[in-house]
CSV table of all heavy atoms in Angstrom, one decimal:
chain,number,residue,atom,x,y,z
A,55,THR,N,116.9,136.1,-66.0
A,55,THR,CA,115.7,136.1,-66.9
A,55,THR,C,114.9,137.4,-66.9
A,55,THR,O,113.7,137.4,-67.2
A,55,THR,CB,114.7,134.9,-66.5
A,55,THR,OG1,114.5,135.1,-65.1
A,55,THR,CG2,115.4,133.6,-66.8
A,56,ARG,N,115.5,138.5,-66.5
A,56,ARG,CA,114.8,139.7,-66.3
A,56,ARG,C,114.2,140.3,-67.6
A,56,ARG,O,113.2,140.9,-67.6
A,56,ARG,CB,115.7,140.8,-65.7
A,56,ARG,CG,116.9,141.2,-66.5
A,56,ARG,CD,117.9,142.0,-65.8
A,56,ARG,NE,119.0,142.4,-66.6
A,56,ARG,CZ,120.0,141.6,-66.9
A,56,ARG,NH1,120.0,140.4,-66.5
A,56,ARG,NH2,121.0,142.1,-67.7
A,57,LEU,N,114.8,139.9,-68.7
A,57,LEU,CA,114.2,140.3,-70.0
A,57,LEU,C,112.9,139.7,-70.3
A,57,LEU,O,112.1,140.1,-71.1
A,57,LEU,CB,115.2,140.1,-71.2
A,57,LEU,CG,116.5,141.0,-71.1
A,57,LEU,CD1,117.4,140.6,-72.2
A,57,LEU,CD2,116.2,142.5,-71.0
A,58,MET,N,112.7,138.5,-69.7
A,58,MET,CA,111.4,137.8,-69.9
A,58,MET,C,110.3,138.4,-68.9
A,58,MET,O,109.2,138.0,-69.0
A,58,MET,CB,111.6,136.3,-69.5
A,58,MET,CG,112.5,135.6,-70.5
A,58,MET,SD,112.9,133.9,-69.9
A,58,MET,CE,111.3,133.2,-69.4
A,59,GLY,N,110.7,139.2,-68.0
A,59,GLY,CA,109.8,139.8,-67.1
A,59,GLY,C,109.6,139.0,-65.8
A,59,GLY,O,108.8,139.4,-65.0
A,60,VAL,N,110.3,137.9,-65.7
A,60,VAL,CA,110.2,137.1,-64.5
A,60,VAL,C,111.6,136.8,-64.0
A,60,VAL,O,112.6,136.8,-64.8
A,60,VAL,CB,109.5,135.8,-64.7
A,60,VAL,CG1,108.0,136.1,-65.1
A,60,VAL,CG2,110.2,134.9,-65.7
A,61,LEU,N,111.8,136.5,-62.7
A,61,LEU,CA,113.0,135.9,-62.2
A,61,LEU,C,112.7,135.0,-61.0
A,61,LEU,O,111.8,135.2,-60.3
A,61,LEU,CB,114.0,137.0,-61.9
A,61,LEU,CG,113.7,138.0,-60.8
A,61,LEU,CD1,114.4,137.6,-59.5
A,61,LEU,CD2,114.3,139.4,-61.1
A,62,GLY,N,113.6,134.1,-60.9
A,62,GLY,CA,113.5,133.2,-59.7
A,62,GLY,C,114.7,133.4,-58.8
A,62,GLY,O,115.8,133.8,-59.3
A,63,MET,N,114.5,133.2,-57.5
A,63,MET,CA,115.6,133.5,-56.6
A,63,MET,C,115.5,132.3,-55.5
A,63,MET,O,114.5,131.9,-55.1
A,63,MET,CB,115.4,134.8,-55.8
A,63,MET,CG,116.5,135.1,-54.9
A,63,MET,SD,116.4,136.8,-54.3
A,63,MET,CE,114.9,136.8,-53.4
A,64,TYR,N,116.7,131.9,-55.1
A,64,TYR,CA,116.9,130.8,-54.1
A,64,TYR,C,117.8,131.3,-53.1
A,64,TYR,O,118.9,131.9,-53.4
A,64,TYR,CB,117.4,129.6,-54.8
A,64,TYR,CG,118.0,128.5,-53.8
A,64,TYR,CD1,117.2,127.7,-53.1
A,64,TYR,CD2,119.4,128.4,-53.6
A,64,TYR,CE1,117.7,126.8,-52.3
A,64,TYR,CE2,119.9,127.5,-52.8
A,64,TYR,CZ,119.0,126.6,-52.1
A,64,TYR,OH,119.5,125.7,-51.2
A,65,ILE,N,117.5,131.0,-51.8
A,65,ILE,CA,118.4,131.4,-50.7
A,65,ILE,C,118.5,130.2,-49.7
A,65,ILE,O,117.4,129.6,-49.4
A,65,ILE,CB,117.9,132.6,-49.9
A,65,ILE,CG1,117.7,133.8,-50.8
A,65,ILE,CG2,118.8,133.0,-48.8
A,65,ILE,CD1,117.0,135.0,-50.2
A,66,HIS,N,119.7,129.9,-49.3
A,66,HIS,CA,119.9,128.8,-48.3
A,66,HIS,C,120.5,129.3,-47.1
A,66,HIS,O,121.5,130.0,-47.1
A,66,HIS,CB,120.8,127.7,-49.0
A,66,HIS,CG,121.1,126.6,-48.1
A,66,HIS,ND1,122.2,125.8,-48.3
A,66,HIS,CD2,120.5,126.1,-47.0
A,66,HIS,CE1,122.3,124.8,-47.4
A,66,HIS,NE2,121.3,125.0,-46.6
A,67,PHE,N,119.9,129.0,-45.9
A,67,PHE,CA,120.4,129.4,-44.6
A,67,PHE,C,120.6,128.2,-43.8
A,67,PHE,O,119.9,127.2,-43.9
A,67,PHE,CB,119.3,130.3,-43.9
A,67,PHE,CG,119.1,131.6,-44.4
A,67,PHE,CD1,118.0,131.9,-45.2
A,67,PHE,CD2,120.0,132.7,-44.2
A,67,PHE,CE1,117.8,133.1,-45.7
A,67,PHE,CE2,119.7,133.9,-44.7
A,67,PHE,CZ,118.6,134.1,-45.5
A,68,LYS,N,121.6,128.3,-42.9
A,68,LYS,CA,121.7,127.3,-41.8
A,68,LYS,C,121.1,127.9,-40.5
A,68,LYS,O,121.2,129.1,-40.3
A,68,LYS,CB,123.2,127.0,-41.5
A,68,LYS,CG,123.9,126.2,-42.5
A,68,LYS,CD,123.5,124.8,-42.5
A,68,LYS,CE,124.3,123.9,-43.4
A,68,LYS,NZ,123.8,122.6,-43.6
A,69,LEU,N,120.5,127.1,-39.7
A,69,LEU,CA,119.9,127.5,-38.5
A,69,LEU,C,120.6,126.9,-37.3
A,69,LEU,O,120.3,125.8,-36.9
A,69,LEU,CB,118.4,127.0,-38.4
A,69,LEU,CG,117.5,127.4,-39.7
A,69,LEU,CD1,116.2,126.8,-39.6
A,69,LEU,CD2,117.4,128.9,-39.8
A,70,PRO,N,121.7,127.5,-36.9
A,70,PRO,CA,122.6,126.9,-35.9
A,70,PRO,C,121.9,126.6,-34.5
A,70,PRO,O,122.4,125.7,-33.8
A,70,PRO,CB,123.7,127.9,-35.7
A,70,PRO,CG,123.2,129.2,-36.3
A,70,PRO,CD,122.2,128.8,-37.3
A,71,ASP,N,120.9,127.3,-34.2
A,71,ASP,CA,120.2,127.1,-32.9
A,71,ASP,C,119.2,126.0,-32.9
A,71,ASP,O,118.7,125.6,-31.9
A,71,ASP,CB,119.4,128.4,-32.5
A,71,ASP,CG,120.4,129.6,-32.2
A,71,ASP,OD1,121.6,129.3,-32.0
A,71,ASP,OD2,119.9,130.7,-32.3
A,72,ASN,N,118.9,125.5,-34.1
A,72,ASN,CA,117.9,124.4,-34.3
A,72,ASN,C,118.7,123.1,-34.5
A,72,ASN,O,119.2,122.9,-35.6
A,72,ASN,CB,117.0,124.7,-35.4
A,72,ASN,CG,115.8,123.8,-35.5
A,72,ASN,OD1,115.9,122.6,-35.2
A,72,ASN,ND2,114.7,124.4,-35.8
A,73,LYS,N,118.6,122.2,-33.6
A,73,LYS,CA,119.4,120.9,-33.7
A,73,LYS,C,118.8,119.9,-34.6
A,73,LYS,O,119.4,119.1,-35.2
A,73,LYS,CB,119.6,120.3,-32.3
A,73,LYS,CG,120.3,121.2,-31.3
A,73,LYS,CD,121.6,121.6,-31.8
A,73,LYS,CE,122.3,122.5,-30.8
A,73,LYS,NZ,123.3,123.4,-31.4
A,74,ALA,N,117.4,120.0,-34.8
A,74,ALA,CA,116.8,119.0,-35.7
A,74,ALA,C,116.6,119.4,-37.1
A,74,ALA,O,116.9,118.6,-38.0
A,74,ALA,CB,115.4,118.7,-35.1
A,75,LEU,N,116.2,120.6,-37.4
A,75,LEU,CA,115.9,121.1,-38.7
A,75,LEU,C,116.9,122.2,-39.0
A,75,LEU,O,116.6,123.4,-38.8
A,75,LEU,CB,114.5,121.5,-38.9
A,75,LEU,CG,113.5,120.5,-38.6
A,75,LEU,CD1,112.1,121.1,-38.5
A,75,LEU,CD2,113.5,119.4,-39.6
A,76,PHE,N,118.1,121.9,-39.4
A,76,PHE,CA,119.2,122.9,-39.4
A,76,PHE,C,119.4,123.6,-40.8
A,76,PHE,O,120.3,124.3,-41.0
A,76,PHE,CB,120.5,122.3,-39.0
A,76,PHE,CG,120.7,120.9,-39.5
A,76,PHE,CD1,121.3,120.7,-40.8
A,76,PHE,CD2,120.3,119.8,-38.8
A,76,PHE,CE1,121.5,119.4,-41.3
A,76,PHE,CE2,120.5,118.5,-39.3
A,76,PHE,CZ,121.1,118.3,-40.6
A,77,ASP,N,118.5,123.3,-41.8
A,77,ASP,CA,118.6,124.0,-43.1
A,77,ASP,C,117.3,124.6,-43.4
A,77,ASP,O,116.2,124.1,-43.1
A,77,ASP,CB,118.9,123.0,-44.2
A,77,ASP,CG,120.3,122.5,-44.2
A,77,ASP,OD1,121.2,123.3,-44.4
A,77,ASP,OD2,120.5,121.3,-43.9
A,78,LEU,N,117.4,125.8,-44.0
A,78,LEU,CA,116.2,126.5,-44.5
A,78,LEU,C,116.5,126.9,-46.0
A,78,LEU,O,117.4,127.6,-46.2
A,78,LEU,CB,115.9,127.8,-43.7
A,78,LEU,CG,114.7,128.7,-44.2
A,78,LEU,CD1,113.4,127.9,-44.3
A,78,LEU,CD2,114.6,129.9,-43.4
A,79,HIS,N,115.7,126.4,-46.9
A,79,HIS,CA,115.8,126.7,-48.3
A,79,HIS,C,114.6,127.5,-48.7
A,79,HIS,O,113.4,127.0,-48.5
A,79,HIS,CB,115.8,125.4,-49.1
A,79,HIS,CG,116.9,124.4,-48.7
A,79,HIS,ND1,118.2,124.5,-49.3
A,79,HIS,CD2,116.9,123.4,-47.8
A,79,HIS,CE1,118.9,123.5,-48.7
A,79,HIS,NE2,118.2,122.9,-47.8
A,80,GLN,N,114.8,128.6,-49.3
A,80,GLN,CA,113.6,129.5,-49.7
A,80,GLN,C,113.7,129.7,-51.2
A,80,GLN,O,114.8,130.0,-51.8
A,80,GLN,CB,113.7,130.8,-49.0
A,80,GLN,CG,113.5,130.7,-47.5
A,80,GLN,CD,113.6,132.0,-46.8
A,80,GLN,OE1,114.6,132.8,-46.9
A,80,GLN,NE2,112.5,132.3,-46.1
A,81,PHE,N,112.5,129.7,-51.9
A,81,PHE,CA,112.4,129.9,-53.3
A,81,PHE,C,111.4,131.0,-53.5
A,81,PHE,O,110.3,131.0,-53.0
A,81,PHE,CB,111.9,128.6,-54.0
A,81,PHE,CG,112.9,127.5,-54.0
A,81,PHE,CD1,112.9,126.6,-52.9
A,81,PHE,CD2,113.8,127.4,-55.0
A,81,PHE,CE1,113.8,125.6,-52.9
A,81,PHE,CE2,114.7,126.3,-55.0
A,81,PHE,CZ,114.7,125.4,-53.9
A,82,PHE,N,111.7,132.0,-54.4
A,82,PHE,CA,110.9,133.1,-54.7
A,82,PHE,C,110.7,133.2,-56.2
A,82,PHE,O,111.7,133.0,-56.9
A,82,PHE,CB,111.5,134.4,-54.2
A,82,PHE,CG,111.7,134.5,-52.7
A,82,PHE,CD1,112.9,134.0,-52.2
A,82,PHE,CD2,110.8,135.0,-51.9
A,82,PHE,CE1,113.2,134.0,-50.9
A,82,PHE,CE2,111.1,135.0,-50.5
A,82,PHE,CZ,112.3,134.6,-50.0
A,83,TYR,N,109.5,133.5,-56.7
A,83,TYR,CA,109.3,133.7,-58.1
A,83,TYR,C,108.6,135.1,-58.3
A,83,TYR,O,107.5,135.3,-57.7
A,83,TYR,CB,108.4,132.6,-58.6
A,83,TYR,CG,108.1,132.6,-60.1
A,83,TYR,CD1,109.0,131.8,-60.9
A,83,TYR,CD2,107.1,133.3,-60.7
A,83,TYR,CE1,108.7,131.8,-62.3
A,83,TYR,CE2,106.9,133.3,-62.0
A,83,TYR,CZ,107.7,132.5,-62.8
A,83,TYR,OH,107.5,132.5,-64.2
A,84,PHE,N,109.2,136.0,-59.0
A,84,PHE,CA,108.7,137.3,-59.2
A,84,PHE,C,108.3,137.5,-60.7
A,84,PHE,O,109.1,137.2,-61.6
A,84,PHE,CB,109.8,138.3,-58.9
A,84,PHE,CG,110.4,138.2,-57.5
A,84,PHE,CD1,111.5,137.5,-57.2
A,84,PHE,CD2,109.7,138.9,-56.5
A,84,PHE,CE1,112.0,137.5,-55.9
A,84,PHE,CE2,110.2,138.8,-55.2
A,84,PHE,CZ,111.3,138.1,-54.9
A,85,ASP,N,107.2,138.1,-60.9
A,85,ASP,CA,106.7,138.4,-62.2
A,85,ASP,C,106.6,139.9,-62.3
A,85,ASP,O,105.7,140.5,-61.7
A,85,ASP,CB,105.4,137.7,-62.5
A,85,ASP,CG,104.8,138.0,-63.9
A,85,ASP,OD1,105.2,139.0,-64.5
A,85,ASP,OD2,104.0,137.2,-64.4
A,86,ALA,N,107.5,140.6,-63.0
A,86,ALA,CA,107.6,142.0,-63.0
A,86,ALA,C,106.5,142.7,-63.9
A,86,ALA,O,106.2,143.9,-63.7
A,86,ALA,CB,108.9,142.5,-63.5
A,87,GLU,N,105.9,141.9,-64.7
A,87,GLU,CA,104.9,142.5,-65.7
A,87,GLU,C,103.4,142.4,-65.2
A,87,GLU,O,102.7,143.3,-65.4
A,87,GLU,CB,105.0,141.9,-67.0
A,87,GLU,CG,106.4,142.2,-67.7
A,87,GLU,CD,106.5,141.6,-69.1
A,87,GLU,OE1,105.5,140.9,-69.5
A,87,GLU,OE2,107.6,141.7,-69.7
A,88,GLU,N,103.1,141.3,-64.5
A,88,GLU,CA,101.7,141.2,-64.1
A,88,GLU,C,101.4,141.0,-62.6
A,88,GLU,O,100.7,141.7,-62.0
A,88,GLU,CB,101.1,139.9,-64.8
A,88,GLU,CG,100.9,140.2,-66.3
A,88,GLU,CD,100.2,139.0,-67.0
A,88,GLU,OE1,99.3,138.5,-66.4
A,88,GLU,OE2,100.7,138.6,-68.1
A,89,TYR,N,102.1,140.0,-62.0
A,89,TYR,CA,101.7,139.6,-60.7
A,89,TYR,C,102.6,140.1,-59.6
A,89,TYR,O,102.2,140.0,-58.4
A,89,TYR,CB,101.6,138.0,-60.6
A,89,TYR,CG,100.6,137.5,-61.6
A,89,TYR,CD1,101.1,136.8,-62.7
A,89,TYR,CD2,99.3,137.6,-61.4
A,89,TYR,CE1,100.2,136.3,-63.6
A,89,TYR,CE2,98.4,137.1,-62.3
A,89,TYR,CZ,98.8,136.4,-63.4
A,89,TYR,OH,98.0,135.9,-64.4
A,90,GLY,N,103.8,140.5,-59.9
A,90,GLY,CA,104.7,140.9,-58.8
A,90,GLY,C,105.3,139.7,-58.1
A,90,GLY,O,105.6,138.7,-58.8
A,91,PHE,N,105.3,139.7,-56.8
A,91,PHE,CA,105.7,138.5,-56.1
A,91,PHE,C,104.6,137.5,-56.2
A,91,PHE,O,103.6,137.5,-55.6
A,91,PHE,CB,105.9,138.9,-54.6
A,91,PHE,CG,106.3,137.8,-53.7
A,91,PHE,CD1,107.4,137.1,-53.9
A,91,PHE,CD2,105.4,137.5,-52.6
A,91,PHE,CE1,107.8,136.0,-53.1
A,91,PHE,CE2,105.8,136.4,-51.8
A,91,PHE,CZ,106.9,135.7,-52.0
A,92,GLU,N,104.9,136.5,-57.1
A,92,GLU,CA,103.9,135.5,-57.4
A,92,GLU,C,103.9,134.2,-56.6
A,92,GLU,O,102.8,133.8,-56.2
A,92,GLU,CB,104.1,135.1,-58.9
A,92,GLU,CG,103.0,134.2,-59.4
A,92,GLU,CD,103.1,133.9,-60.9
A,92,GLU,OE1,103.7,134.7,-61.6
A,92,GLU,OE2,102.6,132.9,-61.3
A,93,THR,N,105.1,133.7,-56.3
A,93,THR,CA,105.1,132.4,-55.6
A,93,THR,C,106.3,132.3,-54.6
A,93,THR,O,107.3,132.9,-54.9
A,93,THR,CB,105.3,131.2,-56.7
A,93,THR,OG1,104.3,131.3,-57.6
A,93,THR,CG2,105.3,129.9,-56.0
A,94,TYR,N,106.0,131.7,-53.5
A,94,TYR,CA,107.0,131.4,-52.5
A,94,TYR,C,106.9,130.0,-52.1
A,94,TYR,O,105.8,129.5,-51.9
A,94,TYR,CB,106.9,132.4,-51.3
A,94,TYR,CG,107.8,131.9,-50.2
A,94,TYR,CD1,109.1,132.3,-50.1
A,94,TYR,CD2,107.2,131.2,-49.1
A,94,TYR,CE1,109.9,131.9,-49.1
A,94,TYR,CE2,108.0,130.8,-48.1
A,94,TYR,CZ,109.4,131.1,-48.0
A,94,TYR,OH,110.2,130.7,-47.0
A,95,ASP,N,108.0,129.3,-51.9
A,95,ASP,CA,108.0,128.0,-51.3
A,95,ASP,C,109.3,127.8,-50.5
A,95,ASP,O,110.2,128.5,-50.7
A,95,ASP,CB,107.9,126.9,-52.4
A,95,ASP,CG,107.2,125.6,-51.9
A,95,ASP,OD1,107.1,125.4,-50.7
A,95,ASP,OD2,106.8,124.9,-52.7
A,96,SER,N,109.2,126.9,-49.5
A,96,SER,CA,110.4,126.7,-48.7
A,96,SER,C,110.5,125.3,-48.3
A,96,SER,O,109.5,124.5,-48.3
A,96,SER,CB,110.4,127.6,-47.5
A,96,SER,OG,109.3,127.3,-46.6
A,97,VAL,N,111.7,124.9,-47.9
A,97,VAL,CA,111.9,123.5,-47.3
A,97,VAL,C,112.7,123.7,-46.0
A,97,VAL,O,113.7,124.4,-46.0
A,97,VAL,CB,112.7,122.6,-48.3
A,97,VAL,CG1,113.1,121.3,-47.7
A,97,VAL,CG2,112.0,122.5,-49.6
A,98,LEU,N,112.2,123.2,-45.0
A,98,LEU,CA,112.8,123.2,-43.7
A,98,LEU,C,113.4,121.8,-43.4
A,98,LEU,O,112.6,120.9,-43.3
A,98,LEU,CB,111.8,123.6,-42.6
A,98,LEU,CG,112.3,123.9,-41.2
A,98,LEU,CD1,113.4,124.9,-41.2
A,98,LEU,CD2,111.2,124.3,-40.3
A,99,GLY,N,114.7,121.8,-43.3
A,99,GLY,CA,115.3,120.5,-43.0
A,99,GLY,C,116.1,120.0,-44.2
A,99,GLY,O,116.1,120.6,-45.3
A,100,PRO,N,116.8,118.9,-44.0
A,100,PRO,CA,117.7,118.3,-45.1
A,100,PRO,C,116.9,117.4,-46.0
A,100,PRO,O,117.1,116.2,-46.1
A,100,PRO,CB,118.7,117.5,-44.2
A,100,PRO,CG,117.9,117.1,-43.1
A,100,PRO,CD,116.9,118.1,-42.8
Side-chain angles (χ1 to χ4, degrees):
T55 53
R56 65 191 180 282
L57 295 177
M58 294 171 46
V60 299
L61 65 97
M63 184 171 63
Y64 164 77
I65 306 172
H66 178 199
F67 291 100
K68 288 285 187 189
L69 308 174
D71 296 339
N72 190 324
K73 301 301 181 206
L75 301 170
F76 43 85
D77 286 294
L78 173 61
H79 304 270
Q80 296 181 302
F81 293 89
F82 302 87
Y83 186 92
F84 302 96
D85 182 338
E87 294 182 3
E88 291 186 40
Y89 302 108
F91 175 62
E92 186 176 334
T93 304
Y94 168 80
D95 209 340
S96 65
V97 176
L98 184 58

